[in-house]
Amino acid sequence: MNYLTNEKLVIVGAGGMIGSNMVQTALTLGLTPNICLYDIYEPGVHGVFDEMEQCAFPGANLSYTVDPAEAFTGAKYIISSGGAPRKEGMTREDLLKGNCQIAADFGENIKKYCPDVKHVVVIFNPADVTALTALIHSGLKANQLTSLAALDSTRLQQALAHEFGVQQDKVTGAHTYGGHGEQMAVFASKVKIDGKPLAEMGLSAERWEEIKHHTVQGGSNIIKLRGRSSFQSPAYNAVKMIEAAMGGEKFTLPAGCYVNDEKLGFKNVMMAMPTTIDATGVHYTEPTGTPEEMASLQASYEHLCKMRDEIIGLEIIPAVADWKNDNANL
């Protein structure tokens, strides 16, 4: 089997449903044979390790551990789903305090054991602030760490494909920006349905609002249907992000990235932007839309600032002016 690279990939939270799916997806796509499965729960990660070996992927060189030093040392790529799961009735923001503390520890492990890591993807919720926390504590450059945001866009794409009875990849430009939560900004002005602008498809304002609401509540809908939070879709999207960072197919769906841009008016947050991930890291461009869409993005940004300030208040991250003491790259 030909692999994209032989460099070490660490899957954090590998004993869970998202983590185990990420391991299998990475091997199925042929990213690297050298994958370390890390989790704090030994029976779970041991079981996933056994199952992955029993798949008998040619050339795979798997390992598992509950020791962060063993897991992170020598890592070149990391995906972390190692937070507490979201349960029915919870918003992503409900997970704020506990998961941000986990993210702080995660960042410190990167700084201590693998400061030369090439790219990190954070996918545990609330992903915007857990990723920001990890970035501050890790010491990495801003373009080396991203968070999962594409899932909101693929949910919007799915809803529009069903609405118009077309294959999902015939829906283009269906993107959400800002926060990966209930305050996300859902953009319609660039959407095309099989090449035709959405504005020409006769979609009523009322129906568009229903589709937006369904998109925003996409994670909650999965919980209601399956009795547990999403795991297959976030796993796949996260692995595609790290594949791009490894030099594979570029990832062009929105990704959460660090934005501190005076021109755009967005400062010191992780937020979903129009992005490309490639072997040089993540790169964003300026989002464009209608005045209403841009106002929605501004509101989402302000919500992210409030969440950031809350974790500053909890002393999980320092005040913005002191970030450079932890990460000279910010």
Side-chain angles (χ1 to χ4, degrees):
M1 185 171 180
N2 293 322
Y3 289 94
L4 188 59
T5 180
N6 285 316
E7 293 178 306
K8 182 178 179 180
L9 168 65
V10 179
I11 305 293
V12 179
M17 294 300 292
I18 295 177
S20 60
N21 272 262
M22 289 194 296
V23 177
Q24 188 168 33
T25 301
L27 288 167
T28 302
L29 293 177
L31 300 196
T32 176
N34 296 310
I35 302 179
C36 178
L37 287 61
Y38 170 64
D39 205 302
I40 60 172
Y41 180 57
E42 196 280 340
V45 71
H46 191 163
V48 173
F49 169 79
D50 281 357
E51 280 221 82
M52 291 302 103
E53 287 209 322
Q54 289 161 20
C55 289
F57 286 100
N61 178 33
L62 303 178
S63 61
Y64 79 93
T65 184
V66 295
D67 178 7
E70 181 181 352
F72 287 82
T73 299
K76 297 300 182 184
Y77 303 95
I78 306 172
I79 313 175
S80 180
S81 64
R86 183 181 174 194
K87 299 178 182 178
E88 187 167 2
M90 294 176 68
T91 66
R92 293 183 180 94
E93 288 76 11
D94 289 333
L95 298 175
L96 182 69
K97 183 176 181 180
N99 276 358
C100 282
Q101 187 56 62
I102 291 171
D105 296 340
F106 171 59
E108 291 296 333
N109 282 332
I110 292 171
K111 181 182 291 184
K112 184 175 181 180
Y113 299 117
C114 56
D116 59 346
V117 69
K118 293 182 177 180
H119 201 86
V120 177
V121 175
V122 176
I123 70 172
F124 60 99
N125 282 319
D128 311 292
V129 285
T130 57
L132 178 63
T133 301
L135 177 63
I136 293 166
H137 284 271
S138 69
L140 296 177
K141 296 177 182 178
N143 70 340
Q144 291 181 279
L145 189 146
T146 48
S147 64
L148 179 65
L151 191 51
D152 299 318
S153 293
T154 59
R155 286 168 175 164
L156 176 60
Q157 183 191 50
Q158 177 204 22
L160 290 168
H162 284 217
E163 180 72 16
F164 295 106
V166 301
Q167 188 171 311
Q168 189 168 333
D169 62 5
K170 297 296 184 182
V171 179
T172 58
H175 294 156
T176 71
Y177 301 123
H180 179 57
E182 278 69 15
Q183 300 296 320
M184 71 181 74
V186 184
F187 279 47
S189 57
K190 299 294 190 296
V191 174
K192 291 185 178 180
I193 310 297
D194 202 8
K196 186 175 180 180
L198 179 62
E200 299 176 11
M201 297 296 294
L203 187 69
S204 70
E206 293 77 15
R207 183 60 183 140
W208 170 242
E209 288 302 319
E210 290 174 356
I211 289 172
K212 279 205 302 183
H213 179 75
H214 186 79
T215 300
V216 170
Q217 296 299 325
S220 297
N221 293 332
I222 294 295
I223 294 171
K224 290 175 182 176
L225 289 168
R226 304 190 72 176
R228 63 177 307 135
S229 58
S230 303
F231 58 92
Q232 289 163 310
S233 49
Y236 179 76
N237 278 288
V239 171
K240 292 297 288 183
M241 292 169 73
I242 213 73
E243 177 188 40
M246 289 176 168
E249 181 184 8
K250 292 181 180 180
F251 190 85
T252 57
L253 286 168
C257 57
Y258 180 70
V259 181
N260 186 28
D261 195 313
E262 195 75 46
K263 176 188 171 186
L264 298 181
F266 302 140
K267 300 186 68 177
N268 305 304
V269 294
M270 293 286 300
M271 60 188 290
M273 296 282 280
T275 51
T276 298
I277 302 175
D278 59 24
T280 64
V282 63
H283 311 279
Y284 69 82
T285 59
E286 181 177 356
T288 58
T290 66
E292 292 78 14
E293 288 169 342
M294 297 308 293
S296 175
L297 181 58
Q298 179 66 30
S300 186
Y301 162 70
E302 291 171 2
H303 179 70
L304 291 174
C305 290
K306 290 178 182 178
M307 294 177 68
R308 176 201 63 205
D309 293 345
E310 186 175 344
I311 55 174
I312 290 173
L314 293 169
E315 299 184 349
I316 297 172
I317 61 173
V320 174
D322 297 325
W323 285 3
K324 283 191 177 293
N325 295 336
D326 286 292
N327 187 335
N329 292 305
L330 298 182

